[in-house]
Amino acid sequence: MTDRKTERTTIRRKLTGLVLLAALACASPTATAAEDDTWPLHLKAEAYRSAGRTELAVPIWEQLMRRSADKADWNSAAIYAGNLNQYFDSVRDYDRAIAFYELENDYWLKDGKDWGANDLERANQIRTTVELYASAAEDDALLDRYAPRSGPLAKFEPAYGMYVGLYSEQDSEMGNEFRKSASIYGRDHAIYLAYATYGEPFPERYARRAKEAGGALQIAWQPLNGLDAVRDDAYLRQWARSAKAAGIPIFLRYASEMNGNWTAWSGDPAAYIEKFRIVANVMKAEAPNVALVWSPGDVPKFNMASFYPGDEYVDWVGVSLYTEPYSHGNPDVSMEANTPIERLEEIYSLYADRKPVMLSESAVAHYTNADGKPHTDFALMNLDRLYRVMPSKYPRLKAITYFNVDMKEKDSRNDYLLRDNPDMLALYKTILADPYMLTRVETGAKPADKTGYREASVPFAKQTTVVPFARIPDVWIGKLEYALNGRTIAERTKPPYALTLQAGDVPDGSVLELRVYNRDGRQVASKAVPFSSVVSVRFDGEDLSFEQPPVIADGYTLAPLRAVFERMGATVDWDDDTKTATARRGGMTVKLTVGDRVAYVNGEPVSLDAPARLVNGYTMAPVRFVGETFGGTVSWDGDSRTASIERR
């Protein structure tokens, strides 16, 4: 990606064109009065800037920007927006700077140019963001968040959760002996990455090693000699049959990063699409265990869509996405203010509604070989964002393959190798231990604890883990402080930043606030959200789900009467006139009327802890009465706010 200094030089050159256009407008006999003063206004603003009084040029630039936009002179509008965002950035008025960075990008796009990509990047670097996500037990709303907009799950797509993948070929400790994963990282990986060249045989050794490890294989299949050799022929058919014979799930990432000019298969979207479709059709016919992954790079921006082969030919959408402290390994161009979060937005917004998304290759640099400097704080902060924040914020992100390599003398010269940094390795092991991280590939897979993530403001049951995303213009976070109802309950000064809370820790009507401090100890941002827990009911060791969750009233837990009674084998009738529920099982009859503190069991009165009531059309009754009436025993766990009913 072009650095900002180079882009600004380009923009200044474009200013010459603006000057000429303005002069011509003034000379035109049909020019309006507003156009007549364009050139003098421009010169006046430049004079202010030259005199060091740029603040006086600002209102003039804004006037000229609006006037240019009104005339659809997008080139001029973009240049004036660039002057404005540079000024507001320099005086740390970040909100206004962001607005003008986004306008500049918008104007360049309207002018048919992609010159605003770095403006969006800078806007994100100075944007203050505080978001809170939290784990939640599986329910219909949670599943909807992870599902495609319409239709079934894609091939090998999990219902929710995220496959963890690894490229380990250049790690001397593991190499391609994938079965070593658990001994090194504490868990197996779901996907192992191998590279293959189009025209060479199917990589059977890697497939065999993946099968031994109980994993799937991602194959980055590269037509290094260009696209002309790709055709439906004996080679392609035999390769597909060998893939089928491997007997494992295969994610075939054919000709990735096609939107970058560094590949031999870039430059001609039509030819690329034609060849991708040939490969997809052959795999569909010969190898049902192969999922096709279309995978551009996250840069350059705005051109990836032109290479998309079509939904019919793509099972997964992937992207190569790296987080590094320097641009292209150049220590003179810092990228420390970048996060991986915003870099996924373009491809996610284009395809996630209908395709599962994977980071086909991703890593965070913790050391730069170009200047011999460690970047541990940067790496830990962004590894936490990569694996904890991104799948919480982007539910359709369902796989990440970590590129575990030290690029000593290649490309960016970054060291991504986890074992080279003990802190990175320790954090990665902690991440892998999370049940949300899936280690076996199968369509419809779910985490073992049936827990996903959503907005923290949605009530949770039993226990939740809060995942924060904090980004500040200062870049470095000194401390995250959690406050519940105004009282500080936890602090985090380094990743992992997440906080686990029990339902019993959270009173009804609570507010959770995250306070963000920079390294100088100054609070620079905060966010508060409604935060509450719900009462859970377990029946014979199994969690029950209800359309109307249990509630607390007058200090007592009320549960849906019909749902629990029917689970205990009773039949329930409802008399709407008298608002009375009648339950029968065997020779026992129980009657309970909404609003009464007395129920009747075989005609005998029984006092209730609290009267039954209607909540959203459901009859709710004290859980102890409901659970014990037909011979069960009821216990209460205050930590998780769970009532347990056990049949005798």
Side-chain angles (χ1 to χ4, degrees):
M1 182 180 292
T2 309
D3 62 63
R4 291 202 57 76
K5 182 178 178 181
T6 302
E7 184 184 8
R8 286 298 157 201
T9 301
T10 301
I11 291 175
R12 294 297 175 209
R13 290 172 180 165
K14 302 299 177 186
L15 188 57
T16 303
L18 172 66
V19 171
L20 292 173
L21 288 172
L24 288 172
C26 291
S28 171
T30 59
T32 65
E35 289 172 325
D36 286 341
D37 67 355
T38 296
W39 177 237
L41 283 173
H42 172 77
L43 291 178
K44 186 176 182 180
E46 289 301 302
Y48 281 138
R49 176 157 56 184
S50 298
R53 300 297 306 276
T54 306
E55 72 278 5
L56 299 179
V58 166
I60 300 175
W61 285 335
E62 187 161 3
Q63 179 184 357
L64 292 174
M65 181 194 73
R66 304 293 180 193
R67 185 182 296 177
S68 299
D70 288 342
K71 297 186 299 180
D73 178 5
W74 306 120
N75 186 291
S76 300
I79 292 170
Y80 286 122
N83 290 343
L84 289 161
N85 59 46
Q86 289 287 284
Y87 170 75
F88 287 116
D89 198 340
S90 70
V91 299
R92 298 176 68 87
D93 187 345
Y94 292 132
D95 287 342
R96 296 186 72 181
I98 289 167
F100 287 113
Y101 278 124
E102 291 176 340
L103 272 177
E104 183 181 358
N105 175 67
D106 184 52
Y107 292 149
W108 284 130
L109 289 176
K110 288 178 177 177
D111 200 42
K113 303 177 178 68
D114 63 357
W115 296 347
N118 282 4
D119 293 289
L120 286 186
E121 182 175 82
R122 180 57 182 165
N124 281 319
Q125 289 177 347
I126 60 176
R127 192 187 310 274
T128 296
T129 304
V130 185
E131 298 171 350
L132 288 167
Y133 303 92
S135 62
E138 178 184 309
D139 59 20
D140 289 343
L142 183 79
L143 291 174
D144 285 346
R145 187 170 187 262
Y146 290 93
R149 181 180 58 192
S150 62
L153 296 171
K155 186 181 293 187
F156 307 139
E157 179 183 353
Y160 59 102
M162 192 170 73
Y163 296 136
V164 282
L166 188 70
Y167 177 62
S168 60
E169 178 78 7
Q170 297 182 42
D171 178 1
S172 59
E173 187 174 354
M174 183 170 169
N176 57 41
E177 295 184 64
F178 305 141
R179 56 185 173 76
K180 291 183 177 180
S181 175
S183 64
I184 297 173
Y185 299 103
R187 289 185 83 188
D188 292 325
H189 285 73
I191 302 171
Y192 300 95
L193 170 60
Y195 288 83
T197 299
Y198 194 94
E200 296 181 356
F202 176 81
E204 293 182 2
R205 181 180 62 170
Y206 293 94
R208 185 172 65 254
R209 294 283 175 87
K211 189 172 186 177
E212 290 171 356
L217 190 66
Q218 182 199 149
I219 301 176
W221 202 18
Q222 304 177 112
L224 296 178
N225 294 319
L227 295 171
D228 290 344
V230 179
R231 57 181 65 90
D232 185 350
D233 57 10
Y235 165 76
L236 181 56
R237 292 278 170 172
Q238 181 55 51
W239 199 98
R241 294 183 190 114
S242 297
K244 178 182 178 181
I248 59 172
I250 292 174
F251 295 91
L252 181 58
R253 177 162 58 107
Y254 166 74
S256 62
E257 300 179 23
M258 77 303 297
N259 58 322
N261 60 12
W262 53 86
T263 65
W265 47 91
S266 66
D268 187 342
Y272 176 86
I273 289 171
E274 176 193 353
K275 301 301 184 178
F276 191 101
R277 290 178 175 180
I278 289 172
V279 172
N281 285 333
V282 170
M283 296 302 153
K284 185 180 294 186
E286 301 282 1
N289 60 318
V290 170
L292 268 293
V293 182
W294 175 75
S295 185
D298 76 305
V299 292
K301 292 182 72 67
F302 309 130
N303 71 341
M304 61 178 65
S306 63
F307 290 89
Y308 187 61
D311 288 352
E312 178 184 351
Y313 304 94
V314 173
D315 296 303
W316 286 66
V317 166
V319 65
S320 297
L321 188 158
Y322 288 83
T323 307
E324 47 202 25
Y326 305 145
S327 176
H328 300 296
N330 181 359
D332 294 330
V333 185
S334 174
M335 300 287 281
E336 288 180 326
N338 280 24
T339 85
I341 306 300
E342 66 273 5
R343 302 184 72 170
L344 187 63
E345 288 176 355
E346 181 180 6
I347 199 164
Y348 194 89
S349 64
L350 287 171
Y351 305 106
D353 61 341
R354 58 197 192 275
K355 297 294 178 183
V357 176
M358 68 163 60
L359 303 189
S360 313
E361 287 181 18
S362 193
V364 181
H366 58 76
Y367 186 87
T368 48
N369 291 297
D371 55 3
K373 288 186 178 180
H375 301 270
T376 298
D377 288 348
F378 168 85
L380 293 174
M381 180 169 62
N382 284 295
L383 190 69
D384 189 71
R385 288 167 172 167
L386 188 70
Y387 279 93
R388 296 190 189 278
V389 177
M390 288 185 76
S392 302
K393 181 180 179 69
Y394 302 112
R396 300 278 295 147
L397 174 62
K398 295 189 174 182
I400 296 179
T401 295
Y402 193 84
F403 190 72
N404 201 31
V405 173
D406 180 3
M407 307 286 285
K408 292 181 183 295
E409 300 297 333
K410 286 188 62 179
D411 301 329
S412 65
R413 300 186 64 194
N414 289 321
D415 188 356
Y416 307 111
L417 192 62
L418 294 165
R419 66 176 174 82
D420 281 353
N421 187 304
D423 292 331
M424 284 285 281
L425 181 58
L427 180 58
Y428 187 76
K429 287 182 178 180
T430 299
I431 289 166
L432 253 62
D434 186 340
Y436 189 81
M437 304 302 165
L438 304 175
T439 60
R440 291 294 181 270
V441 171
E442 61 177 329
T443 305
K446 297 179 180 181
D449 63 355
K450 301 292 180 67
T451 297
Y453 289 87
R454 57 190 175 196
E455 299 289 338
S457 57
V458 179
F460 70 93
K462 293 187 179 180
Q463 175 180 294
T464 191
T465 297
V466 179
V467 175
F469 173 40
R471 170 176 53 197
I472 57 177
D474 297 310
V475 180
W476 305 109
I477 295 170
K479 178 177 68 174
L480 295 182
E481 184 177 85
Y482 291 92
L484 187 65
N485 301 324
R487 181 177 65 86
T488 300
I489 58 171
E491 296 178 352
R492 298 286 187 269
T493 57
K494 63 179 183 179
Y497 293 119
L499 173 68
T500 298
L501 290 169
Q502 302 293 321
D505 298 330
V506 183
D508 290 339
S510 290
V511 173
L512 180 68
E513 182 183 13
L514 184 72
R515 301 165 184 161
V516 184
Y517 295 80
N518 65 12
R519 282 185 169 173
D520 295 332
R522 179 169 56 91
Q523 183 178 331
V524 292
S526 67
K527 181 166 186 173
V529 297
F531 193 62
S532 60
S533 62
V534 297
V535 175
S536 302
V537 175
R538 289 175 67 82
F539 185 85
D540 286 347
E542 179 184 349
D543 289 325
L544 299 184
S545 60
F546 306 103
E547 294 184 19
Q548 169 57 52
V551 298
I552 300 289
D554 302 325
Y556 295 97
T557 303
L558 307 184
L561 180 145
R562 180 185 292 274
V564 178
F565 273 179
E566 289 181 345
R567 188 61 183 262
M568 299 187 77
T571 60
V572 181
D573 296 315
W574 171 254
D575 186 332
D576 195 49
D577 292 334
T578 63
K579 300 295 186 286
T580 299
T582 302
R584 298 179 178 85
R585 195 188 77 176
M588 183 179 292
T589 300
V590 178
K591 287 191 176 185
L592 184 148
T593 301
V594 171
D596 285 356
R597 294 193 72 104
V598 176
Y600 293 88
V601 179
N602 288 340
E604 296 295 323
V606 176
S607 295
L608 301 176
D609 293 329
R613 62 178 63 191
L614 285 175
V615 178
N616 296 325
Y618 293 87
T619 305
M620 311 291 285
V623 69
R624 186 168 299 279
F625 170 80
V626 174
E628 293 179 348
T629 296
F630 289 109
T633 59
V634 179
S635 60
W636 173 254
D637 180 354
D639 289 340
S640 64
R641 300 186 78 192
T642 301
S644 296
I645 302 171
E646 300 287 340
R647 284 182 289 196
R648 294 192 182 119

